[in-house]
Amino acid sequence: RMEASCLELALEGERLCKAGDCRAGVSFFEAAVQVGTEDLRTLSAIYSQLGNAYFYLHEYAKALEYHHHDLTLARTIGDLLGEAKASGNLGNTLKVLGNFEEAIVCCQRHLDISRELNDKVGEARALYNLGNVYHSKGKNVANAGTHDPGELPDDVKNALQKAAKYYEENLSIVTELGDRAAQGRAFGNLGNTHYLLGNFRSAVLAHEQRLLIAKEFGDRSAERRAYSNLGNAYIFLGEFETAAEYYRRTLQLARQLKDRAVEAQACYSLGNTYTLLQDYEKAIDYHLKHLVIAQELHDKIGEGRACWSLGNAYTALGNHDQAIHFAERHLEISREVGDRSGELTARLNLSDLQMVLGLSYSTNNSMMAESHAVENTLNGGRPRGRRYSMENMELMKLTPEKVPNWN
Amino acid sequence: SQPLAGGQAAELQSKVVPSKQILHSNNMEMEPETMETKSVTDYFSKLHMGSLVYSCTSKRKNK
């Protein structure tokens, strides 16, 4: 009777998770664990699903705990396929938690067992996971500095090249298996890896394939992702008109999908692209749209960034009143969110603007001295606060004159 | 006195002209992770339900 009860609870948990309600699913799975079962395979399946549910709920410590239980159990009962699956899931979770070395060991175990069992599907999935771990590892190290794509230290480059290798191995298997959905995923992440490596032409080729497959499936989220990634690559190819076209399509889909954060991101990208095209009126138009959504979503960092961009665009148009208004707003917000880099930039912008307008700034020596002190503390790492923005955007130098040389 | 000679003003202005330094979106769009799945249902239907389902459906057919 108790056995049936555990099973019933677990079945309800499965049903709820499949229906997309992971939170409720977790309650049922945890109740099932409470009741308990003598059947270790059933328990393994419950642990595995609990781990995945917590993963999708972004509660990674819990996900780690349950996937670890599952792995132990699978080993205990000598379930090799179960061990492979648990290892893969544990690897994915460790990756998200930033423990790349252990993640690699786990994903490699998933790969080894899949090969041992001659499980092609498992092998392909393990290769994709390994690619993802190396991609994250590379990106994580790269983010510690402020590198542009294509300008990378050796360890970052090595990790990204490994990622590309695993994605390509995955692609050759899933192509053989005729799994188009898996091909789409691999092309997308391969494209992003090439982008980080500075292989922008290869990135475009991969994202074009991703786009094709997204359209085949009518997967509009994937289609939007591809447009956005294509836009990013064309920026670095110096083809700003093409980039603008892809960002416009991103915006169109973001609106259709009613995703305000993504819509804001697309507006911001368009604002920057029109800035590069020196069409400042259009740039202002999009940065204002971005500003409105950032305010709506209470995204202070995004709002600060919009003000900064608007200040610059108005300066370029010679509209110094508006420029000062937004520079002041940028300074205010930077202080509010504790963005020291933004604060420094805003101060410099304001003093430049004041000088252009012929206002006295010579009494502000102390302010300038303070700015330099801020600058010195910034050399070490990323300013706090930036990484929490909805857009996850980086402060980076982008000099258009330089772009053609990056090919 | 305000030192606003033409050349100097242009130089100062270029410092804040956005094309020199813009906040570029570095927001790459990654594909979703794939998690391995286990199911109580799979296991149950293979080992326990198989005969049950069979007997149920055959009963239904008999009715």
Side-chain angles (χ1 to χ4, degrees):
Chain A
R1 185 65 214 131
M2 286 305 265
E3 284 295 296
S5 178
C6 172
L7 203 59
E8 277 162 17
L9 289 164
L11 286 170
E12 182 60 8
E14 275 186 22
R15 193 191 63 78
L16 286 162
C17 284
K18 273 196 190 120
D21 190 352
C22 284
R23 183 58 68 194
V26 158
S27 311
F28 277 91
F29 281 128
E30 281 182 338
V33 170
Q34 281 296 309
V35 171
T37 173
E38 309 241 313
D39 186 333
L40 296 182
R41 280 175 186 265
T42 298
L43 191 58
S44 159
I46 294 172
Y47 282 150
S48 178
Q49 290 180 90
L50 260 172
N52 284 349
Y54 275 121
F55 187 93
Y56 293 127
L57 291 167
H58 303 283
E59 293 181 38
Y60 300 113
K62 283 272 192 187
L64 192 74
E65 189 187 320
Y66 284 112
H67 284 312
H68 201 264
H69 286 331
D70 182 26
L71 179 63
T72 309
L73 211 51
R75 278 186 184 156
T76 308
I77 57 178
D79 173 9
L80 209 52
L81 179 62
E83 183 183 341
K85 287 182 171 190
S87 299
N89 291 337
L90 198 55
N92 281 348
T93 311
L94 287 162
K95 176 202 72 179
V96 178
L97 288 165
N99 189 343
F100 302 117
E101 298 316 310
E102 276 189 60
I104 289 165
V105 172
C106 288
C107 291
Q108 185 65 47
R109 181 79 185 130
H110 183 195
L111 180 64
D112 291 344
I113 298 174
S114 299
R115 283 178 174 161
E116 200 181 315
L117 297 174
N118 207 14
D119 170 9
K120 280 280 169 194
V121 174
E123 183 182 352
R125 291 167 72 91
L127 287 165
Y128 176 73
N129 291 345
L130 267 169
N132 285 344
V133 177
Y134 278 106
H135 180 100
S136 290
K137 187 186 170 188
K139 199 156 58 179
N140 191 61
V141 182
N143 277 351
T146 48
H147 306 281
D148 293 348
E151 296 178 348
L152 304 167
D154 281 346
D155 51 344
V156 176
K157 202 179 268 183
N158 284 340
L160 292 173
Q161 279 166 347
K162 273 195 179 148
K165 190 195 80 167
Y166 283 119
Y167 289 136
E168 271 156 11
E169 275 187 64
N170 163 278
L171 264 172
S172 80
I173 296 177
V174 294
T175 305
E176 206 177 300
L177 294 171
D179 184 345
R180 289 292 277 167
Q183 282 177 57
R185 284 192 295 269
F187 275 125
N189 286 353
L190 179 63
N192 285 335
T193 307
H194 280 310
Y195 172 82
L196 287 177
L197 282 165
N199 307 328
F200 302 114
R201 288 278 167 219
S202 306
V204 165
L205 288 176
H207 288 307
E208 280 172 351
Q209 289 301 308
R210 205 301 156 243
L211 180 60
L212 206 70
I213 296 168
K215 283 179 174 169
E216 261 175 47
F217 280 83
D219 180 347
R220 291 199 298 170
S221 294
E223 189 182 342
R224 188 196 55 68
R225 287 199 295 272
Y227 288 142
S228 171
N229 290 329
L230 280 164
N232 293 343
Y234 276 110
I235 287 283
F236 278 93
L237 286 168
E239 296 176 36
F240 305 135
E241 291 282 7
T242 313
E245 179 54 33
Y246 281 118
Y247 286 139
R248 275 195 296 271
R249 292 190 197 180
T250 310
L251 178 59
Q252 200 181 8
L253 273 177
R255 283 176 176 161
Q256 281 176 22
L257 296 166
K258 302 198 187 318
D259 186 334
R260 290 292 269 172
V262 171
E263 189 182 339
Q265 169 70 48
C267 288
Y268 184 72
S269 298
L270 276 165
N272 287 339
T273 308
Y274 282 113
T275 299
L276 291 168
L277 286 164
Q278 299 185 320
D279 184 342
Y280 301 113
E281 274 95 356
K282 272 195 185 148
I284 287 168
D285 188 34
Y286 283 112
H287 281 309
L288 282 172
K289 288 188 169 92
H290 170 229
L291 178 63
V292 168
I293 302 175
Q295 283 169 340
E296 180 191 305
L297 300 179
H298 306 288
D299 173 21
K300 276 281 165 193
I301 292 168
E303 196 183 332
R305 232 163 243 157
C307 291
W308 190 80
S309 307
L310 283 163
N312 284 337
Y314 279 118
T315 302
L317 284 178
N319 186 340
H320 294 119
D321 287 344
Q322 286 288 12
I324 285 192
H325 167 75
F326 283 110
E328 280 172 346
R329 191 76 194 103
H330 180 216
L331 179 59
E332 236 172 79
I333 294 169
S334 301
R335 277 188 188 140
E336 218 177 301
V337 299
D339 175 3
R340 304 261 282 159
S341 156
E343 203 179 323
L344 168 77
T345 309
R347 281 173 192 279
L348 292 176
N349 279 349
L350 272 170
S351 76
D352 283 344
L353 281 163
Q354 281 164 350
M355 200 155 127
V356 170
L357 288 178
L359 299 173
S360 168
Y361 76 106
S362 56
T363 53
N364 283 348
N365 283 340
S366 62
M367 183 185 91
M368 293 306 287
E370 196 189 322
S371 298
H372 287 299
V374 172
E375 189 167 35
N376 288 336
T377 65
L378 285 173
N379 293 335
R382 291 149 54 100
R384 250 170 7 105
R386 285 201 176 280
R387 56 172 56 192
Y388 300 111
S389 165
M390 66 170 180
E391 294 133 328
N392 189 24
M393 289 176 291
E394 306 293 327
L395 173 70
M396 55 186 274
K397 283 180 188 147
L398 183 61
T399 318
E401 299 81 44
K402 219 172 119 193
V403 165
N405 302 330
W406 293 349
N407 297 347
Chain B
S1 66
Q2 300 301 326
L4 258 182
Q8 215 174 337
E11 199 189 309
L12 280 166
Q13 202 164 336
S14 78
K15 247 165 92 183
V16 286
V17 162
S19 62
K20 283 286 172 193
Q21 188 196 48
I22 69 165
L23 280 165
H24 181 70
S25 150
N26 197 18
N27 195 30
M28 271 185 315
E29 300 263 9
M30 293 298 287
E31 298 294 327
E33 275 114 352
T34 50
M35 300 301 280
E36 302 306 309
T37 53
K38 294 181 184 182
S39 162
V40 173
T41 326
D42 283 353
Y43 174 64
F44 192 65
S45 54
K46 262 179 224 154
L47 291 178
H48 304 289
M49 289 292 280
S51 52
L52 252 171
V53 168
Y54 177 77
S55 67
C56 284
T57 45
S58 49
K59 262 183 215 163
R60 213 172 286 153
K61 271 176 195 166
N62 292 339
K63 274 183 185 174

